[in-house]
């Protein structure tokens, strides 16, 4: 039977072209998505090892219990604390991470490198993730190193004089080195400016000596070193062994690639599923065309099991051959995908293509199994051919449709319509849609017959060809329906994703906009919102009010959080801030209105411990819990100015809400950007920014999913 199957494939090669193309296309897409995703995962996880490979102890923010990661972002480690870490026996060296936004002023007085990250240069070579490509490391005040990508783009070289714009103003600097991160040009997405340590404190933190995180290397056991360092870390931070820290980082960055792989291969599997219809239909046609051949085999003694086995072997051979060719095509398709993404400005991490044996084997196995399962029904049908069929000149076909199939289709369609029209929850509506589509697929032969009758009068006007077309469509309605179902599923999914995705986007964006009332929010990363800047903003045509407020990173009952204050209750007047329990009118010295994201168990009447970055603590009574909103999330917890002063000192405002005249938001945004263009520490966020971002994400996902689903439509067209 295997020999017979191989001869069957060889002598029917032209008939199997559609099947081969369906398998090849689906497997190529499946394997290509795996190759691309494996490259991304390996590159991201490899970056972790390159960046943190020599870290034995990491002192980082403890976000295990944080209710909002934003609250933890601005907690810092005082430089004095790091000296305690370095005094631990067995610790050989340490390096602190300190970053902040910078830009560079060119000789023509225009800025470039907007969004560039200013980064403290770590003197210890083993802890520094950057390597020098040219020149030397910054070793004195006024010296910087530029990443290779920015240097090439802006035509900078060692010895050039530039001006760095930072939170503390303009700083003349000399480029003494060009850096790279592994095989990539920059450690940070928009470029890296490495700054001498003393300058980094001045330029990025206004002279305050502090770090975002701190890494240590030692000669002892990392677990014992971590245990010795743990009691010395400030509130809101935790000490981890280097291996634990790297594992966490790999989990975070690798998750992006893993989700990408699962999502892409889900659509690739859909293309294979649609291809299964093509394979099934092709084999059904082949069985019909070879009916006399199979009847002769039966007449000379082949049993039904042998005929069935022979056709399954044919499917196995075609499946293996198509899957192997699909993997080869997928490898070539990977280069096309990467080139297409690069053309649209999307660069994937890493270089080259990772061809993992597991991915190759999985692609071949999946393609082969789908082919094998798709030939089961045609093979079983072929086994029932009687020897007498060898004497027939043509296949006897019938246009009839079984009553059982018709009843089943009617029941499924009716239940689907009732679910979609009468359902009040997503599940019944979704289930109704699924039943309705299933009913249409089951009713395919009946639809083919009815469609043929309806179209016959129209197509008959085209002559004999038109009448033959309609009659042939109804002659074997199951075959016609199977051919159409592959296309039906693909087009249905494309339409469903477009309509449902757009509706969901509009709903989500509308709900998000209800959570915001301030037109703009400006924040300073390391700087302040000084009175001069406030006056400039208030002078803008269209700006009605600017409300600065003071913002400080603290811990609340040991968990990272934010603390805010403003004079005369101005925050409540301009922003969407209200109390879900308690009252903001009860806010007095020694009390606090806590965020909706406060730690579990905090409620009106309870007492919380608030600790600032210097370690000073205060016990405050909770008089209100804020209603959840985007504006409330930006301010965190609210106290009176005197309470704020007693805890963190008389500091300057670092954020502000801006209220603009209705209808003038767009022009106002441009004017605000012009005012803060020389302040790289200032970030301007429009009041509907989150809604716009979410809308853009939905648009991207809808377009991406539609593009991927069109692959299944292509496979269906190949089958037709």
């Amino acid at each position: 039977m295997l020999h017979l199957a191989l001869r069957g494939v060889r002598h029917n090669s032209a008939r199997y072209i559609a099947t081969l193309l369906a398998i090849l296309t689906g497997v190529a897409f499946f394997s290509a998505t795996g190759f691309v995703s494996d490259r991304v995962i390996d590159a991201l996880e490899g970056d972790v090892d390159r960046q943190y490979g020599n870290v034995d102890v990491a002192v980082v923010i403890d976000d295990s219990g944080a209710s909002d990661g934003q609250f933890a972002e601005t907690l810092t480690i005082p430089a004095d604390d790091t000296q305690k870490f370095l005094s631990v026996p067995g610790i050989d060296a340490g390096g602190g991470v300190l970053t902040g936004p910078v830009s560079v002023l060119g000789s023509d007085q225009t800025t470039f490198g907007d969004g560039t990250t200013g980064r403290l240069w770590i003197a210890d070579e083993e802890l520094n993730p950057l390597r020098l490509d040219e020149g030397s490391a910054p070793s004195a005040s006024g010296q910087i190193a530029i990443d290779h990508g920015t240097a090439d783009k802006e035509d900078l070289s060692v010895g050039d004089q530039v001006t760095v714009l930072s939170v503390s103003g303009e700083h003349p600097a000399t480029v003494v080195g060009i850096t790279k991160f592994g095989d990539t040009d920059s450690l940070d997405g928009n470029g890296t400016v490495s700054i001498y340590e003393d300058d980094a404190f001045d330029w990025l933190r206004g002279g305050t000596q502090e770090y975002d995180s701190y890494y240590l290397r030692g000669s002892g056991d990392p677990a014992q070193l971590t245990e010795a360092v743990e009691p010395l870390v400030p509130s809101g931070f935790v000490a981890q062994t280097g291996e634990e820290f790297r594992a966490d980082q790999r989990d975070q960055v690798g998750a992006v690639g893993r989700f990408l792989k699962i999502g892409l291969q889900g659509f690739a599997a859909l293309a294979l599923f649609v291809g299964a219809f093509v394979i099934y239909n092709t084999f059904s046609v082949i069985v019909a065309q070879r009916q006399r051949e199979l009847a002769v085999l039966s007449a000379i003694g082949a049993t039904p099991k042998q005929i069935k086995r022979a056709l399954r072997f044919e499917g196995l051979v075609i499946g293996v051959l198509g899957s192997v060719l699909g993997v080869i095509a997928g490898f070539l398709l990977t280069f096309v995908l990467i080139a297409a993404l690069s053309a649209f400005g999307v660069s994937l991490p890493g270089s080259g293509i990772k061809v993992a044996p597991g991915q190759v084997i999985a692609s071949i196995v999946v393609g082969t199994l789908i082919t094998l399962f798709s030939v089961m029904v045609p093979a079983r049908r072929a086994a029932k051919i009687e020897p007498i069929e060898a004497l027939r000149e043509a296949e006897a076909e019938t246009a009839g449709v079984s009553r059982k199939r018709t009843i089943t289709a009617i029941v499924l369609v009716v239940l689907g319509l009732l679910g979609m029209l009468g359902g009040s929850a997503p599940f019944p509506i979704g289930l109704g849609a699924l039943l309705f589509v299933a009913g249409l697929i089951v009713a395919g032969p009946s639809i083919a017959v009815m469609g043929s009758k309806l179209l016959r009068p129209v197509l008959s006007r085209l002559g004999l060809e038109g009448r033959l077309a309609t009659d042939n469509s109804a002659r074997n309605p199951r075959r016609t329906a199977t051919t159409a179902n592959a296309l039906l599923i693909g087009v249905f999914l494309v339409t469903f994703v477009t309509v449902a995705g757009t509706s969901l986007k509009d709903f989500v964006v509308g709900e998000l906009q209800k959570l915001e009332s301030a037109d703009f929010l400006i924040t300073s990363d390391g700087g302040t919102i000084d009175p001069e800047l406030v006056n400039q903003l208030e002078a803008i045509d269209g700006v009605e009010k600017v409300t600065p407020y003071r913002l400080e990173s603290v811990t609340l009952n040991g968990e990272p959080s934010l603390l805010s204050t403003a004079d005369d209750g101005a925050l409540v007047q301009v922003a969407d801030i209200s109390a879900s329990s308690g009252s903001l009118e009860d806010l007095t010295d020694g009390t606090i209105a806590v965020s909706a994201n406060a730690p579990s168990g905090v409620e009106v009447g309870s007492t919380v411990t608030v600790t600032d970055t210097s370690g000073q603590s205060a016990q405050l009574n909770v008089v209100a819990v804020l209603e959840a909103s985007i504006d409330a999330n930006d301010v965190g917890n609210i106290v009176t100015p005197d309470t704020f002063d007693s805890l963190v000192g008389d500091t300057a405002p670092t954020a502000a809400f801006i209220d603009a005249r209705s209808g003038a938001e767009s022009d106002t945004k441009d004017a605000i950007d012009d005012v803060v263009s020389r302040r790289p520490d200032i970030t301007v966020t429009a009041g509907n920014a989150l809604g716009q971002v979410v809308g853009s994400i939905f648009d991207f996902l809808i377009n991406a999913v539609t593009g991927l689903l069109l692959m299944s439509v292509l496979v269906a067209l190949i089958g037709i």
Side-chain angles (χ1 to χ4, degrees):
M1 288 298 105
L2 179 59
H3 179 68
L4 183 64
L6 293 175
R7 293 192 63 185
V9 172
R10 185 168 66 252
H11 291 294
N12 294 278
S13 57
R15 293 170 173 170
Y16 281 120
I17 289 177
T19 302
L20 270 175
L21 286 175
I23 302 167
L24 188 151
T25 305
V27 172
F29 190 39
F30 185 85
S31 58
T33 55
F35 294 152
V36 170
S37 302
D38 286 342
R39 163 182 161 168
V40 172
I41 294 170
D42 281 2
L44 292 175
E45 293 184 348
D47 284 348
V48 170
D49 293 329
R50 282 191 293 271
Q51 188 170 356
Y52 308 115
N54 293 318
V55 174
D56 292 317
V57 181
V59 181
V60 294
I61 290 172
D62 181 12
D63 57 3
S64 59
S67 52
D68 192 326
Q70 172 199 358
F71 293 166
E73 289 179 355
T74 53
L75 282 177
T76 57
I77 304 172
D80 291 343
D81 288 348
T82 65
Q83 296 304 313
K84 302 175 186 176
F85 306 156
L86 295 172
S87 66
V88 172
I91 295 295
D92 297 332
V97 175
L98 176 62
T99 62
V102 299
S103 57
V104 183
L105 187 64
S107 57
D108 58 355
Q109 297 302 301
T110 60
T111 60
F112 62 86
D114 293 339
T116 299
T117 298
R119 185 176 287 272
L120 178 149
W121 178 263
I122 299 176
D124 187 85
E125 292 185 4
E126 295 186 42
L127 291 173
N128 194 335
L130 300 173
R131 64 176 176 86
L132 285 166
D133 193 45
E134 299 178 34
S136 59
S139 57
S141 181
Q143 295 182 353
I144 63 170
I146 298 283
D147 70 275
H148 191 274
T150 302
D152 281 350
K153 182 179 179 181
E154 303 297 338
D155 196 24
L156 295 174
S157 58
V158 174
D160 285 352
Q161 303 293 319
V162 297
T163 300
V164 177
L165 302 180
S166 73
V167 62
S168 58
E170 301 181 3
H171 308 281
T174 302
V175 178
V176 297
I178 307 296
T179 63
K180 296 191 76 172
F181 173 60
D183 295 329
T184 58
D185 288 335
S186 175
L187 173 58
D188 304 291
N190 293 320
T192 304
V193 175
S194 299
I195 306 170
Y196 177 64
E197 185 174 54
D198 291 344
D199 286 344
F201 292 138
D202 292 335
W203 297 3
L204 306 179
R205 287 295 187 271
T208 303
Q209 296 191 353
E210 58 189 14
Y211 301 95
D212 300 328
S213 55
Y214 205 80
Y215 306 131
L216 302 160
R217 64 175 179 86
S219 53
D221 177 59
Q224 294 179 355
L225 293 176
T226 302
E227 187 177 348
V229 170
E230 177 64 36
L232 305 176
V233 302
S235 177
F237 287 82
V238 65
Q240 291 182 303
T241 64
E243 191 54 47
E244 291 173 342
F245 175 63
R246 286 186 290 274
D248 286 348
Q249 296 300 308
R250 278 192 290 266
D251 284 343
Q252 292 176 18
V253 300
V256 177
R258 287 189 289 273
F259 280 122
L260 174 68
K261 184 173 185 176
I262 293 171
L264 290 178
Q265 291 196 331
F267 291 106
L270 176 63
L272 285 169
F273 174 71
V274 174
F277 278 87
V278 176
I279 298 166
Y280 167 78
N281 198 52
T282 303
F283 265 92
S284 297
V285 172
I286 289 173
V287 167
Q289 291 173 334
R290 296 169 60 189
Q291 183 165 284
R292 295 184 66 186
E293 171 194 332
L294 297 172
V296 168
L297 289 174
S298 179
I300 63 176
T303 65
K305 286 185 177 180
Q306 288 176 319
I307 293 175
K308 190 188 304 182
R309 194 181 308 130
L311 285 175
R312 286 175 179 172
F313 278 141
E314 287 187 28
L316 180 64
V317 172
I318 292 296
V320 172
L321 179 60
S323 299
V324 171
L325 293 175
V327 171
I328 297 173
F331 179 76
L332 300 176
L333 179 61
T334 304
F335 290 99
V336 177
L337 289 175
I338 294 173
L341 290 172
S342 298
F344 286 100
V346 179
S347 58
L348 294 177
S351 59
I353 297 176
K354 177 178 174 60
V355 182
Q359 180 62 43
V360 173
I361 294 172
S363 300
I364 294 175
V365 169
V366 168
T368 302
L369 288 178
I370 286 180
T371 306
L372 196 56
F373 287 135
S374 300
V375 305
M376 290 293 186
V377 174
R380 188 167 62 249
R381 190 179 302 141
K384 297 178 181 179
I385 295 177
E386 298 293 338
I388 192 64
E389 298 294 337
L391 302 177
R392 294 184 183 273
E393 292 295 329
E395 179 190 4
E397 296 184 294
T398 175
V401 180
S402 69
R403 180 177 298 178
K404 182 178 179 181
R405 188 186 189 103
T406 302
I407 294 173
T408 302
I410 292 173
V411 171
L412 289 173
V413 169
V414 170
L415 290 176
L417 288 173
L418 291 175
M420 289 189 293
L421 297 176
S424 58
F427 178 75
I429 295 175
L431 181 60
L434 183 63
L435 291 174
F436 181 75
V437 173
L440 291 181
I441 293 175
V442 173
S446 300
I447 295 174
V449 173
M450 290 187 293
S452 174
K453 291 180 180 179
L454 290 174
L455 291 174
R456 196 175 194 280
V458 178
L459 294 181
S460 294
R461 296 179 179 274
L462 301 178
L464 179 61
E465 296 88 345
R467 290 195 299 275
L468 284 175
T470 54
D471 292 345
N472 287 339
S473 298
R475 181 168 291 113
N476 193 325
R478 284 200 299 178
R479 189 185 306 163
T480 302
T482 304
T483 304
N485 281 341
L487 187 60
L488 181 149
I489 292 174
V491 175
F492 161 73
L493 290 173
V494 170
T495 307
F496 174 77
V497 167
T498 302
V499 175
T502 303
S503 301
L504 182 60
K505 180 194 76 171
D506 293 342
F507 171 76
V508 172
V509 171
E511 290 300 307
L512 286 174
Q513 289 176 344
K514 295 177 182 179
L515 299 176
E516 300 170 297
S517 65
D519 294 313
F520 300 98
L521 169 69
I522 61 172
T523 55
S524 173
D525 183 4
T528 63
I529 308 298
D530 55 81
E532 181 181 356
L533 177 61
V534 172
N535 292 334
Q536 292 175 343
L537 293 172
E538 289 180 335
I540 295 174
D541 184 28
V543 171
E544 295 189 342
K545 187 173 184 179
V546 178
T547 305
Y549 63 94
R550 292 189 281 168
L551 184 68
E552 185 75 16
S553 292
V554 296
T555 60
L556 191 140
N557 284 356
E559 295 186 11
S561 191
L562 292 175
L563 191 68
S564 298
T565 191
D567 296 329
D568 303 325
L571 285 176
V572 179
Q573 298 172 12
V574 70
D576 179 22
I577 297 176
S578 58
S580 61
S581 61
S583 173
L584 290 171
E585 295 180 357
D586 295 333
L587 191 64
T588 58
D589 295 344
T591 64
I592 185 173
V594 298
S595 165
N597 298 316
S600 176
V602 175
E603 57 187 16
V604 174
S606 61
T607 301
V608 295
T609 301
V610 179
T611 307
D612 73 348
T613 54
S614 66
Q616 185 172 346
S617 299
Q619 301 285 324
L620 303 177
N621 296 322
V622 178
V623 296
V625 176
L626 300 181
E627 188 79 41
S629 72
I630 294 176
D631 290 344
N633 190 63
D634 290 329
V635 302
N637 310 284
I638 302 176
V639 295
T640 63
D642 287 342
T643 302
F644 193 93
D645 291 345
S646 65
L647 185 63
V648 301
D650 186 8
T651 59
T654 56
F657 287 116
I658 300 177
D659 189 18
R661 186 175 64 248
S662 179
E665 289 85 0
S666 180
D667 293 338
T668 303
K669 175 65 163 58
D670 294 336
I672 293 173
D673 288 338
D674 290 340
V675 169
V676 302
S677 60
R678 290 291 188 96
R679 291 281 302 271
D681 61 301
I682 297 290
T683 300
V684 181
T685 305
N688 62 345
L690 183 57
Q692 293 175 350
V693 169
V694 171
S696 300
I697 293 173
F698 268 103
D699 288 336
F700 171 78
L701 291 176
I702 291 170
N703 293 333
V705 171
T706 300
L708 294 172
L709 289 174
L710 287 176
M711 178 64 71
S712 66
V713 176
L714 174 62
V715 173
L717 292 177
I718 290 173
I720 293 173

